[in-house]
Amino acid sequence: MKEIKRIGVFTSGGDAPGMNAAIRAVVRTGNYNKLEVIGIYRGYDGLINSEFQTMNNSSVANIIQRGGTILKTARSESFRTEEGRRTAYQNLINAGIDALVAIGGDGTFRGAMALGNEYDYPVVGVPGTIDNDLFGTDFTIGYDTAINTVIEVVDKLRDTAASHNRLFFVEVMGRDAGFIALRSGIAGGAEDILVPESKTIIEDLIDKLKNDRRENKTSGIIIVSEGDDQGGALEIARKVKEKFDYYDTRVSIIGHMQRGGSPTCMDRVLASTLGYDAVNGLLEGKRGVMIGQMNLKTVYIPFEKATKHHQEMNKSMLTMANILSL
Ligand code: F6P
């Protein structure tokens, strides 16, 4: 195995609060271990275009608290092609970069896996996505901040919902995973939580709302994950209204504000730990793995496993949420 002297770090896919804390940890752990650390801008596009910059400890000063990513990010179409990956690999070799730390979600790790398999090139991954949809880590960087953003919004919507006796359908992100909806729904005391992992039956939702009426609830919050099988919040609100129009209904789609903002303490510590473990993992010979954390212990999950399926949703939390919202 070639000795690692110079490593590259980049962020890719949707940005997530805490990515900067992870970059900082990679740069400083690398420098501590006498490695040269190269920042790669705009994810895989930057690899293809050689957007490289040497980073030292001061390049990452004052960023642990900042959302977004100082290295910028992109969802690269070119890297999906063999030609794109060949160019990227050549650029890495020309720049003398011996290994990479890729910070991102499942798309990022699929790219990393392809590069590793095709060119036998060492890459480790750090899970950074608000969706929390990677197998093999309890939490991904950015998830905690995103759900805290959601509950701040839900609390505010609850004030106006209660004042006007209104029912709000609140759509949250998560692509095809309902983890943001699940936790923010529980923490926000939602009347119902609709997630792609469990089939949504409109009649059941209406029965629940009718029951709430009998219990004299005058307003409510329904959290809808954007990937729900019955559609987004607008669509579901329309379907409910068609059959049950007791409530004055409003729809609120939170959108990209879930991706921004200063990372929570949880996300900063997780990102720092995973960034630190990523560099140490590379130096210990780890390759082709995502650095995750389960039960507060570092785990190394092959990219193939991390990207193949989501971590399973704990359905008993949905049951609990239903009981607590009665
Ligand atoms: O993966 C993060 C995420 O925010 C998803 O929750 C969402 O579906 C998607 O990215 C939105 O992507 P874009 O920023 O490209 O609109």
Side-chain angles (χ1 to χ4, degrees):
M1 223 182 293
K2 192 172 174 246
E3 193 195 347
I4 295 176
K5 293 197 182 122
R6 186 178 289 164
I7 61 170
V9 58
F10 65 95
T11 48
S12 155
D15 62 328
M19 279 183 161
N20 280 328
I23 297 167
R24 172 180 177 271
V26 169
V27 171
R28 292 195 171 169
T29 310
N31 286 170
Y32 174 81
N33 285 288
K34 311 267 180 289
L35 302 177
E36 196 180 333
V37 184
I38 310 292
I40 298 157
Y41 285 89
R42 278 169 273 280
Y44 288 112
D45 282 347
L47 267 186
I48 293 170
N49 301 320
S50 290
E51 295 182 64
F52 301 155
Q53 172 144 26
T54 301
M55 299 183 89
N56 53 37
N57 286 350
S58 62
S59 336
V60 290
N62 201 13
I63 64 166
I64 196 168
Q65 78 282 17
R66 283 169 55 193
T69 158
I70 59 162
L71 289 177
K72 315 267 181 174
T73 186
R75 300 190 200 276
S76 174
E77 282 307 318
S78 321
F79 199 76
R80 288 181 212 274
T81 65
E82 272 182 34
E83 196 194 331
R85 293 195 290 275
R86 197 178 320 119
T87 309
Y89 174 70
Q90 268 315 322
N91 291 341
L92 285 168
I93 298 302
N94 294 343
I97 299 173
D98 305 312
L100 284 175
V101 178
I103 306 169
D106 56 352
T108 306
F109 296 162
R110 266 190 283 273
M113 192 161 59
L115 188 69
N117 292 343
E118 288 165 18
Y119 296 99
D120 192 23
Y121 189 86
V123 191
V124 296
V126 171
T129 165
I130 63 164
D131 299 344
N132 203 36
D133 61 346
L134 289 164
F135 178 82
T137 189
D138 289 336
F139 298 108
T140 56
I141 296 163
Y143 174 63
D144 187 61
T145 308
I147 53 182
N148 276 288
T149 299
V150 173
I151 61 165
E152 205 182 314
V153 172
V154 166
D155 290 349
K156 288 178 175 159
L157 291 174
R158 175 99 46 201
D159 290 344
T160 175
S163 305
H164 282 266
N165 286 352
R166 279 176 175 160
L167 177 67
F168 270 81
F169 288 82
V170 183
E171 183 177 305
V172 300
M173 277 186 166
R175 209 187 290 264
D176 51 4
F179 298 104
I180 295 180
L182 176 67
R183 278 193 181 243
S184 61
I186 291 171
E191 273 55 41
D192 212 339
I193 303 170
L194 311 181
V195 293
E197 290 83 354
S198 122
K199 196 168 163 38
T200 296
I201 300 167
I202 298 292
E203 284 65 31
D204 289 356
L205 172 56
I206 292 172
D207 285 347
K208 164 82 172 76
L209 293 170
K210 284 182 177 163
N211 189 52
D212 285 354
R213 262 309 298 138
R214 284 192 291 274
E215 297 287 331
N216 293 324
K217 278 202 187 190
T218 52
S219 63
I221 302 275
I222 310 293
I223 300 283
V224 181
S225 182
E226 64 175 337
D228 190 78
D229 56 299
Q230 286 287 342
L234 274 166
E235 183 64 4
I236 292 180
R238 189 190 59 73
K239 287 177 180 167
V240 169
K241 194 90 181 148
E242 250 172 35
K243 297 187 177 146
F244 177 65
D245 73 346
Y246 172 80
Y247 286 106
D248 185 14
T249 297
R250 292 290 185 277
V251 172
S252 189
I253 299 172
I254 308 181
H256 285 80
M257 91 173 63
Q258 290 162 94
R259 289 241 294 264
S262 180
T264 58
C265 178
M266 283 277 290
D267 274 330
R268 295 183 201 191
V269 175
L270 179 67
S272 301
T273 309
L274 296 181
Y276 175 78
D277 288 344
V279 176
N280 288 321
L282 271 179
L283 292 173
E284 285 159 17
K286 301 273 188 301
R287 275 116 182 75
V289 291
M290 175 189 84
I291 317 294
Q293 200 180 71
M294 291 178 93
N295 298 321
L296 295 178
K297 294 229 160 54
T298 302
V299 289
Y300 305 95
I301 309 293
F303 284 139
E304 207 183 14
K305 259 186 143 178
T307 55
K308 206 162 244 169
H309 46 122
H310 294 166
Q311 62 162 302
E312 212 167 301
M313 177 165 282
N314 183 349
K315 295 276 171 56
S316 64
M317 284 179 87
L318 275 177
T319 310
M320 174 188 80
N322 277 333
I323 293 169
L324 299 187
S325 72
L326 287 176

